[in-house]
Amino acid sequence: MSCAWLNPNCRIGLIVGTGSNACYVERLENVELWDSDFNNPKQVIINTEWGAFGDNGCLDFIMTKYDNEIDRTSLNPKKQLFEKMISGMYMGELARLVIVKLTNDGALFRGQGSENLFKPGNFFTKYISEIESDKTGEFNNCRQVLEELCLVDITDQDCRDVRYICEVISKRAAQLSAAGVACLLNRMNEKSVVVAVDGSVYRFHPHFHNMMTETIESLVLPDITFDLMLSEDGSGRGAALVAAVASRSR
């Protein structure tokens, strides 16, 4: 709503933060459960609750052993599987599980981990954004993160490997998010659409926007154009706009 107030072509809303969800504008004739009037503009906003995508097993073929571990130890096993693969609540822990596995295998830190590294939840998702913010060939942020985890005698190769792990996890999250957006764009089949995006992962990760854009471009129908627009104060301004419209329509 906040972005639609600024740009009337806004037809999709997405959040990639602690959790993830999306909504879009659908034609009333496609909404089987609609039981109100069919007056203009004959469209309604649909909350997809796409974080729950995959609960029926359709994502099992792309889930890794690390995803399964995240799900098994979560507060809601077998639920919100799509969200667990892309949102900020889980990305850091996914990275930690991979790092721990490679450390135990002797491929990282000469096999010498730390109590902080081995403690679940200690590799924050913000670490991924910080590590990927380092310039190519530089590891200042990476070393700072690893030192916070009480790891010692860190080599440049350790830093390269940790950064690569972070890049793989964030790229997968961006591509999965983008695939969902592309599906909505193709379903709506409108020629020009603005996608409002909010959430800490999208807002603070240095490459998330570009990775999403590149993936959407590869999946969307060729005659559809789109723009990802950062939502500013969606909770405040958006809620105020909804309240104003509701008040006016009484």
Side-chain angles (χ1 to χ4, degrees):
M1 294 301 299
S2 176
C3 288
W5 179 63
L6 297 173
N7 191 319
N9 286 336
C10 183
R11 290 289 185 269
I12 296 176
L14 168 67
I15 184 164
V16 188
T18 303
S20 184
N21 196 11
C23 62
Y24 74 105
V25 176
E26 180 61 272
R27 300 176 184 86
L28 285 182
E29 61 263 28
N30 296 330
V31 184
E32 296 179 3
L33 298 179
W34 183 257
D35 58 3
S36 189
D37 66 73
F38 278 80
N39 298 329
N40 287 326
K42 297 186 177 182
Q43 57 189 18
V44 66
I45 297 175
I46 298 292
N47 175 11
T48 68
E49 290 291 356
W50 82 5
F53 180 54
D55 291 3
N56 63 353
C58 65
L59 293 179
D60 289 357
F61 75 105
I62 61 171
M63 292 184 66
T64 68
K65 61 184 178 182
Y66 308 107
D67 295 309
N68 290 326
E69 177 67 10
I70 288 283
D71 180 54
R72 186 186 66 80
T73 59
S74 70
L75 296 175
N76 54 344
K78 302 298 182 183
K79 302 292 183 182
Q80 301 295 114
L81 297 181
F82 191 56
E83 184 172 78
K84 289 172 181 173
M85 300 174 77
I86 63 178
S87 73
M89 180 175 287
Y90 305 100
M91 286 172 61
E93 181 63 7
L94 277 170
R96 190 193 72 85
L97 290 174
V98 178
I99 293 170
V100 166
K101 172 65 165 57
L102 294 178
T103 300
N104 288 335
D105 289 348
L108 277 174
F109 316 125
R110 298 172 306 287
Q112 301 297 314
S114 68
E115 183 178 346
N116 282 2
L117 174 63
F118 293 138
K119 184 178 179 180
N122 262 15
F123 196 96
F124 308 123
T125 296
K126 71 173 185 176
Y127 289 166
I128 294 178
S129 296
E130 291 172 0
I131 288 171
E132 292 192 56
S133 294
D134 276 329
K135 295 180 180 179
T136 302
E138 297 182 3
F139 307 108
N140 295 330
N141 292 339
C142 187
R143 287 184 177 277
Q144 182 175 342
V145 166
L146 297 179
E147 288 169 2
E148 287 182 24
L149 294 171
C150 299
L151 294 161
V152 297
D153 298 328
I154 303 159
T155 67
D156 282 355
Q157 188 58 51
D158 288 331
C159 291
R160 290 188 192 95
D161 293 339
V162 169
R163 178 176 177 127
Y164 178 73
I165 292 166
C166 292
E167 288 173 342
V168 169
I169 289 171
S170 61
K171 185 174 183 178
R172 185 185 71 159
Q175 289 181 332
L176 288 173
S177 301
V181 171
C183 285
L184 296 179
L185 287 168
N186 290 339
R187 176 179 176 82
M188 295 167 65
N189 198 22
E190 296 188 15
K191 302 310 177 188
S192 179
V193 177
V194 169
V195 181
V197 192
D198 199 0
S200 55
V201 174
Y202 178 85
R203 184 180 294 268
F204 297 119
H205 190 282
H207 311 300
F208 211 85
H209 170 90
N210 291 340
M211 290 189 293
M212 280 195 65
T213 298
E214 180 181 353
T215 303
I216 294 172
E217 287 175 345
S218 70
L219 297 174
V220 79
L221 296 173
D223 59 341
I224 294 176
T225 61
F226 68 93
D227 182 43
L228 302 183
M229 179 180 182
L230 179 64
S231 176
E232 300 289 351
D233 192 24
S235 298
R237 182 191 296 164
L241 289 166
V242 171
V245 171
S247 176
R248 186 178 64 182
S249 62
R250 285 183 176 179

